[in-house]
Amino acid sequence: MLDFGYPVLTILIAFPLVAACGLFFLRAPQVVRYYTMAVSLIECLLAVPLTGFKLNADFQFVEKIDWVHQWGLQYYLGVDGISILMVLLTIAVLPLCVMCSWTYIGKRVKEFHFCLLFMTSAVLGVFCALDLVLFYVFWEAMLIPMYLLIAVWGGDDRKYASLKFFLYTLAGSTLLLAAIVAFRVTGGTFSIPDLMQMNFSFRFQFWAFLAMALAFAIKVPMFPFHTWLPAAHVQAPSAGSVILAAVLLKMGTYGFLRFCLPLTPAASEYFAPMMIAISIVSILYGGAIALGQTDIKKLVAYSSVGHMGFVTLGIFLFNQRGVEGALFQMLNHGIVTGALFMMIGAVYERSHSREISNNMGLGKYLPAFMFFWGLMALASFGFPGTNGFVGEILVFIGAFEQSTILGMLLVPGALLGAAYMFRVSLKLAWGKPSTAKTWRDLNAREWIYLTIPAVFVFWIGLAPTPFFKIIDPSVNKLLEDFDSRKVAVVEIVQPLQTAAADVLNATAEKE
Amino acid sequence: MNFNITALVPELFFLCMVLALMVQSLGSREWKPPVERWLPFGACAAFFVTITGFHLHGTMFWDVYKVDLMSQFFKIVITFGFYVVVLNASRQPTLEEGKRADYYMLLGFSTLGLMLLASSVELITIYLALELASYSMYAVIPLRAKDKGAAEAGIKYIMFGAVATALALYGLSYIMATQHTTYIAELMNKSWSFADQPMAVVGLSLFLGGMFFKLALFPFHFWCPDVYQGASNETAAFVATMPKMGAIVVLCRLAVLLKPGLEITTILAVLGALSMTFGNLSALAQTDIKRLLGFSSVAHAGYIMVGLVSGTPEGIGAAAFYGMAYLVMNLLVFWVVSRVASDGRNLKLTDLNGLYKKAPALAFSLAAGAFALVGLPPTMGFMGKFFLITSAWDHGYNWLVITLVLNSAIAIYYYLSLFRHAFTEEKTPTEVAPPDNGWFASAGAGMLAAAVLVIGMIPAPLFNFAINAGKTLYGITVTFSGGGH
């Protein structure tokens, strides 16, 4: 059942996990680091066959094996234009994470890298799975390493943060499991592509959407389910924050795109106003709270709430610009916020503080650092020429296409983004330095792991066409399917509604 | 009387082993070799004999005893459980030297009773087998009787057990009086609606009560946390797992009488929901690990009800599969508990602190066990739960499925605390015996953890076995494909 020479996706998923088991035989921390670095680079090489991705909307590199025949479970993998970018992002983030933890992680180094590799496997599985249960397996499996990353290597308040993260996300996803079972019983299969062809009753979609959306909204996180995120981000070690920001949050929005829109189109349409409202609240709330932070990491964490608000907004606009913008923002946020967290880690290693006031005056003493920070800050609020601009402008266009008022509501959000980023950047660059005089500027390792995201900032910002080519066919197909099936469902619902109205009228007349 | 000795090979093998234990327990105290030297090999052989007999079938003793896929599935599970329990108990620090052979003999008789229970298809036979399985337990639990808690546990178990058995017998008389038969196969064709046969429904409810006692289903669970706490860790491992297999197999057989929507099915569903909720909420507050596991097993008893109320072969298969998963997960956790408490003390959660440092293999295995009990993938606990809810969805008990799902969310907290203490807490308690970190402890834990993970990832062969077993109960002929694929 392979449309490619060898099972590239399985290898990508399995390799980090298998390699992680090799860590048990290593002892010296430095050897562990080199080993993991090598593994992550090999993983990048293993991803090379993905360049054979054809620019159409089909699922590619498909692998399909019976898993539990009696229950119709399949080991079913494949990627389309929506997921392939996420897969590549995940793979690309891995070596950066290893590099940024090189000196940051001093204790239980082996276990740390094990968690990192385990997590990469699980997240790749999430983006590749085309069977609902397989998706759920990977979705849940990723919780354990992330919990450990926060609970063992985190800051002072790590226990509280890790427990909150675990309970929130697992509580949300248990309902996702109920929805998955409901899909199987109603649709007769767990295969996502097959389910995408089916029309479910509105009543079913209503409940299925709610159950799934709760799980995804917690993961994104959308206001008011976001409270685990700042705690987790602030307490997690740099690499943990990077993975959290770069890929884990994307799993939520990916879920909306992969499940809510194609499987429950009518309910998505029905709940869109609510989702849009929540997204706007997330954007404004995240921005406003970020503006008031004195802790750099908290600031970036709250800014994530705002940025992800743009993504969910784009998704629930249901127009091409909106969804494309959402996908771009998913990618951009991964790159930019990931880089910001790595830099926060770098500066923390120097000052042992995340307070803005303890890290000022870097413009003079750490110019290279400040260059990268400035670049990422600009990209973060969508300065033209950077990748953030491409994504944000698309969401803006999409919002204005929908309604002028909606578009206008986004403007303060964008302004807030600029405000908090300028505020923190100005202070970091030109604030009165405390001990920064003695710090060294970026070392070679830091140069490498910051240059790579910087390249992508400019690449996507200046020449986004290749990325459009990858995502466009899938987005078009998603929206076409959405429109046609939404109508099909409306046709079922409308006669029922008229009938109900008739009955009501008749009762009213009798009375 | 129809009798086919080849179909009884696993039981006969086991019987011989138990008789050997009895002879040794009667003999002088210095009998060589000591029982721990030879019994593990015997138990292992019994396990393999049962596996090789998985395809046996036949009905005997005037049709009260049936060897079929269901019985063989559970016999394999039960002999596997016995093997692990024997290994686990072979280093029991709180067991007096002179009582060792007696101890294993009692466990053996109880297990034999459970094996017979797996094949009983007639209510009186079920009753007798159940009693055989119970009586030895009554003797084993207070074995640590110098301890006040153990004495209390023993008395509680006997008193509750006696009442439950009396109820079951009373219910049996009602069923006989109204349905005029005690054969499950014939009972299947009778009406079980309250409107038609009120007495029979009451009788069946009472009879099921006896099984619920064994399963520790709410409200028959009061003995459970106390007995776990009072018995030694190794005995608790037996009590927590093995008698439940007996209860589950009988419930699976009786579940063919149930159709969704019947009053008695609804009672089961309600008890299941109460059991999960009560068990989980109570477990949240526990700090003693065995009490925690006791309440959690009340919750697990509730989960199993979800499969039974669906009234389909898939549901029964799912319940059987979950029963097996439950046995393996619990044996794993108890294995770790027994090894960590190398001096036989009762563990508190804080005793697990820093376990990853002192005994990494045990800590990792404990994590696998705890996550399996939560139902996180890729463990067999997840697959078991998943099969349960898939089988029950859309058979009129969606609310029960939702209750299960929400309960899993509650359960995370206390299972996670097992994991949390082992991996993230650094401060280790002082002046307690260190965990047993030898190769035997690590290998046992590692094997069980591997089983939990591997069956979680590749559940198909065992699950097919379970589902075929479910089908045979409904009289659906199963094309025999070797129990797999």
Side-chain angles (χ1 to χ4, degrees), chain A residues 98-118:
Chain A
V98 179
M99 274 194 267
C100 80
S101 342
W102 204 269
T103 48
Y104 194 97
I105 299 298
K107 62 166 183 176
R108 296 169 76 181
V109 178
K110 200 188 328 187
E111 290 94 328
F112 176 84
H113 288 95
F114 180 84
C115 288
L116 217 54
L117 292 174
F118 183 7

Side-chain angles (χ1 to χ4, degrees), chain B residues 381-422:
Chain B
F382 167 72
M383 275 300 160
K385 242 180 217 176
F386 171 75
F387 292 143
L388 282 178
I389 62 180
T390 316
S391 67
W393 190 267
D394 236 19
H395 287 95
Y397 294 101
N398 289 2
W399 60 269
L400 186 61
V401 172
I402 300 287
T403 316
L404 190 161
V405 163
L406 292 178
N407 264 290
S408 306
I410 301 175
I412 299 158
Y413 183 82
Y414 63 86
Y415 286 125
L416 189 66
S417 64
L418 291 177
F419 178 68
R420 203 165 44 118
H421 281 278

Side-chain angles (χ1 to χ4, degrees), chain A residues 436-459:
Chain A
K437 290 170 202 166
T438 56
W439 301 345
R440 284 165 165 271
D441 205 352
L442 299 183
N443 57 32
R445 184 172 49 82
E446 289 164 336
W447 266 100
I448 296 171
Y449 73 62
L450 290 176
T451 310
I452 296 167
V455 168
F456 276 92
V457 165
F458 286 120
W459 184 8

Side-chain angles (χ1 to χ4, degrees), chain B residues 249-262:
Chain B
V249 64
V250 173
L251 285 172
C252 283
R253 288 198 186 278
L254 289 175
V256 296
L257 310 178
L258 307 173
K259 305 277 177 296
L262 283 179

Side-chain angles (χ1 to χ4, degrees), chain B residues 98-264:
Chain B
K99 287 185 185 166
R100 287 186 178 266
D102 313 62
Y103 178 78
Y104 290 111
M105 179 200 70
L106 290 171
L107 293 190
F109 266 117
S110 182
T111 311
L112 183 65
L114 296 173
M115 287 179 78
L116 299 180
L117 201 55
S119 276
S120 307
V121 289
E122 190 262 353
L123 297 184
I124 296 174
T125 324
I126 290 177
Y127 180 80
L128 290 175
L130 184 71
E131 287 304 277
L132 178 60
S134 301
Y135 274 110
S136 329
M137 285 289 91
Y138 296 152
V140 162
I141 286 166
L143 217 56
R144 243 190 355 178
K146 282 172 197 155
D147 184 56
K148 258 190 186 169
E152 185 196 331
I155 292 171
K156 260 194 178 162
Y157 195 64
I158 294 169
M159 296 303 281
F160 272 105
V163 172
T165 327
L167 278 181
L169 200 57
Y170 191 53
L172 178 60
S173 70
Y174 271 29
I175 299 174
M176 275 173 81
T178 47
Q179 306 283 32
H180 310 295
T181 177
T182 51
Y183 286 89
I184 293 175
E186 290 171 31
L187 288 171
M188 251 177 102
N189 305 321
K190 309 272 177 175
S191 164
W192 289 97
S193 97
F194 193 72
D196 293 344
Q197 293 285 7
M199 291 278 276
V201 171
V202 171
L204 184 60
S205 310
L206 292 174
F207 189 78
L208 287 174
M211 302 303 138
F212 294 161
F213 163 76
K214 283 280 160 206
L215 194 60
L217 188 83
F218 179 89
F220 301 88
H221 69 279
F222 286 102
W223 60 273
C224 176
D226 295 321
V227 167
Y228 283 21
Q229 196 182 10
S232 71
N233 295 325
E234 290 77 4
T235 314
F238 186 93
V239 182
T241 51
M242 301 287 279
K244 297 195 174 160
M245 294 308 112
I248 293 169
V249 64
V250 173
L251 285 172
C252 283
R253 288 198 186 278
L254 289 175
V256 296
L257 310 178
L258 307 173
K259 305 277 177 296
L262 283 179
E263 292 83 357
I264 197 157

Side-chain angles (χ1 to χ4, degrees), chain A residues 111-330:
Chain A
E111 290 94 328
F112 176 84
H113 288 95
F114 180 84
C115 288
L116 217 54
L117 292 174
F118 183 7
M119 178 117 90
T120 307
S121 280
V123 175
L124 285 174
V126 166
F127 291 130
C128 295
L130 290 182
D131 179 280
L132 281 170
V133 177
L134 191 64
F135 171 85
Y136 187 81
V137 167
F138 287 123
W139 172 276
E140 295 284 67
M142 139 271 138
L143 279 179
I144 300 164
M146 192 64 219
Y147 169 79
L148 282 175
L149 282 182
I150 303 174
V152 177
W153 295 275
D156 298 334
D157 217 2
R158 55 182 184 268
K159 274 173 203 153
Y160 165 76
S162 55
L163 196 60
K164 196 169 180 184
F165 161 78
F166 202 93
L167 291 182
Y168 256 75
T169 44
L170 196 54
S173 46
T174 43
L175 283 177
L176 175 66
L177 182 61
I180 287 174
V181 169
F183 270 114
R184 143 82 193 181
V185 172
T186 319
T189 174
F190 285 117
S191 149
I192 296 167
D194 290 351
L195 285 167
M196 282 178 176
Q197 312 299 325
M198 294 176 194
N199 287 321
F200 297 103
S201 71
F202 180 74
R203 189 164 161 269
F204 175 79
Q205 291 193 21
F206 182 91
W207 292 109
F209 179 90
L210 281 183
M212 292 193 295
L214 182 66
F216 299 144
I218 289 176
K219 198 71 124 197
V220 170
M222 295 175 85
F223 179 88
F225 307 109
H226 66 282
T227 58
W228 65 267
L229 179 86
H233 261 324
V234 172
Q235 299 304 325
S238 289
S241 300
V242 173
I243 291 194
L244 204 56
V247 287
L248 288 202
L249 306 189
K250 309 302 172 301
M251 286 164 51
T253 46
Y254 174 76
F256 279 122
L257 280 171
R258 178 65 79 226
F259 299 103
C260 290
L261 262 57
L263 302 186
T264 59
S268 301
E269 173 96 356
Y270 180 81
F271 283 111
M274 182 183 87
M275 300 305 286
I276 289 176
I278 295 179
S279 304
I280 290 181
V281 172
S282 297
I283 296 170
L284 297 178
Y285 172 87
I289 302 282
L291 196 55
Q293 297 304 317
T294 56
D295 180 317
I296 320 174
K297 214 169 180 184
K298 251 189 189 159
L299 184 146
V300 179
Y302 276 108
S303 85
S304 289
V305 177
H307 287 302
M308 294 311 286
F310 269 100
V311 179
T312 46
L313 175 73
I315 292 171
F316 282 92
L317 290 173
F318 307 131
N319 56 36
Q320 193 179 2
R321 298 287 156 252
V323 176
E324 278 176 2
L327 268 170
F328 263 93
Q329 278 306 73
M330 279 161 75

Side-chain angles (χ1 to χ4, degrees), chain B residues 461-472:
Chain B
L462 277 169
F463 183 68
N464 285 352
F465 193 171
I467 213 166
N468 285 341
K471 281 182 184 162
T472 53

